[in-house]
Amino acid sequence: MRPRLDPFTLILLATIALASFFPARPPLAGWLDHAGVFAVAMLFFLHGAALSRDEVLNGAMHWRLHLVIVTLTFIVFPLLVLPVTLLAPALIPDDLAVGFLYLGVLPSAVSSSIAFTAMARGNVPAAICSAAASNVFGMMLTPFLLILLVSSSGGSFAVGEALRDIILQLLLPFAAGQALRPLIGGLLYRYKSLTGRYDQGVILLIVYTAFSQSVVGGLWEKLPLLAIFAAIALCGLLLAVVITLARLVSRRFGFSLADEAAVVFCGSKKSLASGLPMAKVLFAGNPGFGMIVLPIMCYNQIQILVGAVIARRYVSGPV
C-alpha cells in the first residue's frame, strides 16, 4: 500500500505557494500580524483551560525532559552548525555561514512547538513550560552564544520587551485559562476536535504570515539561487540530525511517547518570531543581512512541513 501525503501537509504546501505568489502586504500584513498575536494568546488560553492542575504541575516538574530540550537547543544545535563555517567561502558565502551560526543559537519556537505537540497528542504542559523557558532565557543567551561562535560583538536588544511579550502573550493567557477551567473545561472536552482544528489554523496563519514577510523582504530577488539550494539542503540535514538525536535520547531515558513528542518538537525547532527581530538589531547595517537571515527562513518552513508529517505519525503510534 502506497503511503498517502497527509491532507494537512498539502494545505501547508498550498499556504506556502499562496504566500509566494500572493504575499500579504500592508495593511493586510499588519492585520495578520495582530491576528497572529491574538491567535497565539488564545491557543495558550485554550490549553490552559483544557489542562488539569495536576497535568500542569507534572509538566513543570519534569526536569529531565526540560534538561534534554535545553541541551538540544543551546548546546547540541550550536555545535552542529559550527562545521558549516568550514564551507565558507569556498562553497557558501561568509554571510550565509554566519546565518547558520545565528540559527544555531536561537531559542525554540513557541507557538508552533505547542501546536505540533498538541497535534501529536504529546505532553502539552511540559512543552509549554519548555518552550516558554527557552524563549525567556534565549533572549539573553542568544547574543552571548553568538559572540562565542563568531568571536565578535553581538550588540544589544530589547530584553525587556521580549520578556513582556512572553508574559502577556503566553503565560497570562495560560493562567487565565487555568482560572476559568472549572467553568469552560467541560465544554472544551466535549468539543475537543474543534480545539485540534484551531491548533492547525494557528499553524497555517503563522506559516502564511512568516513566509509572506520573507517574500516581501526580497527572499527570491536578493539571494543567489545556489545559496538558496545550499541553505535548504543544510537546514534539512540539521533538522534530521536533531530530530534523530531527540528521539534516541528520549528513548534512552525511557520517556513516554507523549514526552518524546514534546522533546522532538521543542528541541528541534528554532524561533523565526524571535530570530528576525533580534537579527535586525544584532546585524544592523550589515549589507549581507538578507543572506544572514536566509537559514532562519528556510529552516522555519522546513520544520513546519516536517513537523506536520511527524505530528500525524505520532497519533498513529511510534515513528
Side-chain angles (χ1 to χ4, degrees):
M1 182 178 179
R2 292 186 305 173
R4 294 183 301 172
L5 192 61
D6 183 79
F8 186 65
T9 304
L10 293 175
I11 297 174
L12 277 174
L13 291 172
T15 302
I16 292 176
L18 179 65
S20 296
F21 291 102
F22 303 101
R25 301 178 183 275
L28 177 60
W31 296 340
L32 288 179
D33 188 53
H34 291 306
V37 171
F38 175 80
V40 170
M42 182 59 66
L43 177 70
F44 277 78
F45 172 81
L46 293 175
H47 282 302
L51 296 170
S52 69
R53 202 66 53 86
D54 289 339
E55 287 177 314
V56 174
L57 292 176
N58 289 337
M61 297 301 292
H62 201 338
W63 65 269
R64 290 199 306 162
L65 181 145
H66 300 313
L67 182 60
V68 169
I69 292 174
V70 168
T71 301
L72 287 171
T73 303
F74 294 115
I75 298 179
V76 173
F77 213 113
L79 292 176
L80 286 176
V81 298
L82 268 178
V84 175
T85 59
L86 300 176
L87 302 178
L91 299 179
I92 63 173
D94 288 325
D95 287 331
L96 186 59
V98 172
F100 273 100
L101 294 181
Y102 181 58
L103 170 68
V105 299
L106 286 176
S108 176
V110 178
S111 52
S112 59
S113 296
I114 307 303
F116 280 129
T117 301
M119 284 177 59
R121 299 175 186 172
N123 190 336
V124 174
I128 289 175
C129 294
S130 281
S134 174
N135 272 257
V136 169
F137 294 111
M139 296 300 100
M140 296 170 278
L141 278 176
T142 293
F144 173 71
L145 292 175
L146 184 63
I147 291 172
L148 290 180
L149 291 181
V150 300
S151 300
S152 63
S153 175
S156 60
F157 61 96
V159 176
E161 292 182 9
L163 295 176
R164 180 201 63 193
D165 291 342
I166 290 291
I167 293 172
L168 293 179
Q169 296 181 35
L170 308 181
L171 300 183
L172 284 182
F174 183 80
Q178 278 282 290
L180 293 177
R181 174 177 163 77
L183 298 178
I184 63 176
L187 181 66
L188 291 177
Y189 181 79
R190 287 197 298 271
Y191 296 97
K192 188 184 299 185
S193 62
L194 293 180
T195 304
R197 292 184 184 277
Y198 180 76
D199 291 340
Q200 296 179 357
V202 172
I203 292 173
L204 292 176
L205 178 60
I206 292 171
V207 170
Y208 180 73
T209 304
F211 206 84
S212 291
Q213 292 173 350
S214 301
V215 173
V216 172
L219 175 63
W220 308 126
E221 293 84 3
K222 297 180 181 178
L223 300 171
L225 192 60
L226 182 59
I228 295 176
F229 286 142
I232 292 173
L234 288 171
C235 286
L237 178 61
L238 284 170
L239 181 62
V241 171
V242 175
I243 288 177
T244 301
L245 289 175
R247 291 168 56 190
L248 290 175
V249 173
S250 297
R251 294 171 187 182
R252 176 70 175 176
F253 283 177
F255 289 166
S256 66
L257 197 61
D259 289 342
E260 180 185 313
V263 172
V264 166
F265 292 117
C266 294
S268 67
K269 291 189 177 297
K270 290 293 183 177
S271 176
L272 181 72
S274 298
L276 286 181
M278 281 194 288
K280 290 178 181 178
V281 177
L282 295 173
F283 303 104
N286 191 316
F289 181 81
M291 190 76 73
I292 291 172
V293 298
L294 175 61
I296 312 170
M297 295 185 290
C298 290
Y299 191 88
N300 182 71
Q301 312 309 321
I302 295 172
Q303 72 182 3
I304 290 176
L305 288 174
V306 174
V309 175
I310 294 177
R312 289 292 195 173
R313 292 185 62 188
Y314 267 110
V315 174
S316 304
V319 297

